Amino acid sequence: MGKQEDFVLRAIEERDVRFVRLWFTDVLGSLKSVAIAPTELEGAFEEGIGFDGSAIEGFARVHEADMLAKPDPSTFQILPWRGETPATARMFCDIAMPDGSPSYADPRYVLKRALAKAADAGFTFYTHPEIEFFVFKSKPEPGTRPVAVDDSGYFDHTAQGASQDFRREVITMLEAMGISVEFSHHEGGPGQQEIDLRYADALSMADNIMTFRTIVREVALSQGKWASFMPKPFTDHPGSGMHTHVSLFEGDENVFYEAGAEYQLSKTGRAFIAGVLEHTPEITAVTNQWVNSYKRLAWGGEAPNYVCWGHNNRSALVRVPMYKPHKSGSARVELRALDSACNPYLAYALILAAGLKGIENSYELPPEAEDDVWSLSENERRAMGIAPLPRNLDEAIRTMENSELVAETLGEHVFDFFLRNKRAEWQDYRSQVTQFEIDRLMPVL
């Protein structure tokens, strides 16, 4: 065993850890967990913990079910909501086959492959998400409208507000687990919150996002509330996105930065954006993977629905911020389509692959969109070469089906399962009679 494994074993003894939870995600991004006793951990580091992969969404068929969860010691943290004595810890796992080879069904491995390809080109990929979600007074009952925990709006400060206390407890737990927070505030919808995580490499950030979702839900339940990352729970209020700032570094140098260039954006940065714009329709089924995701995009405002980029244009799909124009390390690109319910491992892998494709093939960046894209007519957008994103999950699936980039990045197994699952979700959705249809049509037909 290496130094990190030794550190974990010592920490478990010193902190009186009685339970170690091994975490991983299925293909759809749901968190899975198995608890082991500390005495089993040394064996888990060396050989992994066996489990039935056929029982996990998208992992394996019945005749090839045996799989191993191998804990990553660099992700060891104490779970603050479980109490200090006896303590409970967690580690994320890499999923392996019985012969020790990586499982191609593991979303974490999909991202690792994409990051390895970037590393071969000399790049490290960093991300910084702005994660939005809703907090409700209780878990909504079927057929009822959810009741938000407050009626506050964007940046509102409410004396003795429940949302402030909620965010404070979430942030305290995040920082106790080594996850740095940059900002937090109330968002535009009732009960809607935003917490921004400080930038990190993409693999660490994907792990952090999964931890973030768990902490938010745990805090909500502890306070008798219900938290949801559903992209659009209310018809008449904005949805929850996960605007993500990304950058590429070569060593300590931010390759998106070029002094004196327009918006200080380098040729490499422009090619990266061009790659993202070119391939975004193909990856939208992953960055916006639920039927409800497209209700958020259809809302307009700051939820993008057209393929374009801009500088200070918050209606654009890709934005180039200039908060610190003379600080090279802060040069970055903001991607605005993602929602906070996506699988971050798969989403980040595809965004990186799209950007790298633009760099490899020297894609030309189209002219920026300076107007509010939503205020333009369809003819005006068409004349400017601004194409729409997929309008629903069905369109997104059909676009993804023909994508060599997505198939190559996800791998055949994940690619095929994801499409099968999403086709089934769309079929279930399109067969439902909604309350809208009953209210609109029943009185007149």
Side-chain angles (χ1 to χ4, degrees):
M1 290 191 299
K3 292 181 179 179
Q4 286 184 322
E5 289 86 351
D6 287 339
F7 168 81
V8 170
L9 293 174
R10 287 198 309 273
I12 282 175
E13 185 174 353
E14 293 168 0
R15 299 288 296 273
D16 189 26
V17 174
R18 301 287 180 85
F19 301 95
V20 180
R21 294 195 176 277
L22 305 184
W23 287 2
F24 59 94
T25 68
D26 65 16
V27 172
L28 299 179
S30 296
L31 187 66
K32 303 296 178 179
S33 175
V34 58
I36 64 173
T39 53
E40 302 298 317
L41 190 54
E42 190 169 343
F45 282 138
E46 293 177 352
E47 300 175 359
I49 297 295
F51 68 98
D52 178 7
S54 66
I56 305 296
E57 284 278 15
F59 264 31
R61 294 165 291 188
V62 172
H63 65 273
E64 53 186 23
D66 292 339
M67 288 183 150
L68 299 169
K70 303 192 76 171
D72 179 349
S74 69
T75 64
F76 174 83
Q77 289 288 346
I78 303 294
L79 298 181
W81 63 88
R82 300 300 297 172
E84 293 187 5
T85 305
T88 300
R90 75 93 162 98
M91 280 180 283
F92 281 95
C93 292
D94 294 307
I95 306 303
M97 304 304 291
D99 63 1
S101 62
S103 167
Y104 286 92
D106 180 10
R108 205 166 186 259
Y109 181 59
V110 170
L111 179 54
K112 281 188 169 184
R113 282 203 316 267
L115 294 172
K117 184 176 180 180
D120 289 342
F123 298 131
T124 305
F125 184 48
Y126 291 96
T127 65
H128 154 55
E130 304 172 356
I131 309 176
E132 298 173 348
F133 58 94
F134 280 86
V135 180
F136 304 112
K137 289 186 176 180
S138 61
K139 183 179 180 179
E141 295 296 326
T144 64
R145 178 183 170 92
V147 180
V149 75
D150 60 47
D151 293 318
S152 300
Y154 185 68
F155 266 45
D156 277 357
H157 179 91
T158 306
Q160 299 183 355
S163 291
Q164 293 171 193
D165 292 340
F166 180 88
R167 294 194 301 271
R168 181 175 61 184
E169 187 168 348
V170 168
I171 292 166
T172 299
M173 287 194 181
L174 287 168
E175 293 182 338
M177 294 188 70
I179 299 173
S180 298
V181 172
E182 201 165 57
F183 303 109
S184 71
H185 60 85
H186 200 286
E187 254 299 334
Q192 190 179 28
Q193 320 296 323
E194 177 178 313
I195 299 177
D196 301 356
L197 303 185
R198 190 174 297 278
Y199 82 97
D201 67 275
L203 182 62
S204 297
M205 186 57 74
D207 290 342
N208 289 348
I209 290 169
M210 297 308 303
T211 304
F212 178 97
R213 291 176 183 170
T214 302
I215 288 176
V216 165
R217 293 186 178 108
E218 290 284 353
V219 172
L221 290 171
S222 72
Q223 296 183 1
K225 303 180 179 70
W226 184 261
S228 176
F229 294 90
M230 181 178 176
K232 192 74 162 63
F234 294 115
T235 299
D236 46 351
H237 296 290
S240 291
M242 189 171 71
H243 300 164
T244 298
H245 300 251
V246 303
S247 55
L248 285 180
F249 276 70
E250 283 183 337
D252 295 330
E253 180 185 354
N254 187 337
V255 299
F256 283 1
Y257 178 80
E258 181 182 329
E262 185 179 25
Y263 308 138
Q264 319 299 319
L265 184 65
S266 69
K267 183 178 179 181
T268 300
R270 296 176 70 85
F272 186 95
I273 296 174
V276 170
L277 294 177
E278 176 68 24
H279 296 288
T280 281
E282 303 162 38
I283 71 176
T284 299
V286 174
T287 58
N288 306 81
Q289 72 177 60
W290 308 101
V291 290
N292 180 255
S293 299
Y294 298 85
K295 303 296 178 68
R296 167 185 164 249
L297 296 179
W299 172 263
E302 295 193 8
N305 204 10
Y306 294 92
V307 181
C308 60
W309 74 281
H311 168 42
N312 248 354
N313 190 344
R314 295 180 183 271
S315 68
L317 174 73
V318 178
R319 192 173 72 92
V320 180
M322 273 185 68
Y323 293 124
K324 300 174 182 177
H326 302 297
K327 188 176 180 181
S328 63
S330 68
R332 62 198 187 276
V333 170
E334 182 187 7
L335 312 177
R336 301 177 62 79
L338 291 85
D339 59 48
S340 52
C342 70
N343 183 331
Y345 300 99
L346 302 186
Y348 284 170
L350 288 172
I351 289 167
L352 176 58
L356 290 179
K357 184 69 73 173
I359 294 171
E360 292 167 6
N361 296 320
S362 300
Y363 286 7
E364 287 292 327
L365 186 62
E368 70 171 296
E370 298 180 351
D371 300 315
D372 177 2
V373 181
W374 282 95
S375 67
L376 301 174
S377 68
E378 286 293 340
N379 287 337
E380 288 173 324
R381 284 191 287 264
R382 193 178 302 113
M384 297 171 66
I386 299 176
L389 283 174
R391 304 298 179 122
N392 52 49
L393 184 60
D394 182 49
E395 283 188 24
I397 293 166
R398 293 175 187 275
T399 306
M400 176 177 159
E401 285 173 336
N402 300 313
S403 172
E404 292 183 7
L405 176 96
V406 177
E408 177 185 351
T409 304
L410 298 186
E412 181 181 358
H413 182 99
V414 173
F415 182 73
D416 289 344
F417 170 80
F418 195 91
L419 285 173
R420 286 199 310 273
N421 182 278
K422 291 296 136 182
R423 289 190 197 105
E425 182 181 343
W426 176 253
Q427 183 59 34
D428 288 345
Y429 173 75
R430 68 192 293 263
S431 66
Q432 297 297 313
V433 177
T434 66
Q435 192 64 42
F436 173 88
E437 294 166 276
I438 293 172
D439 292 345
R440 178 68 65 92
L441 301 178
M442 187 73 74
V444 297
L445 297 183

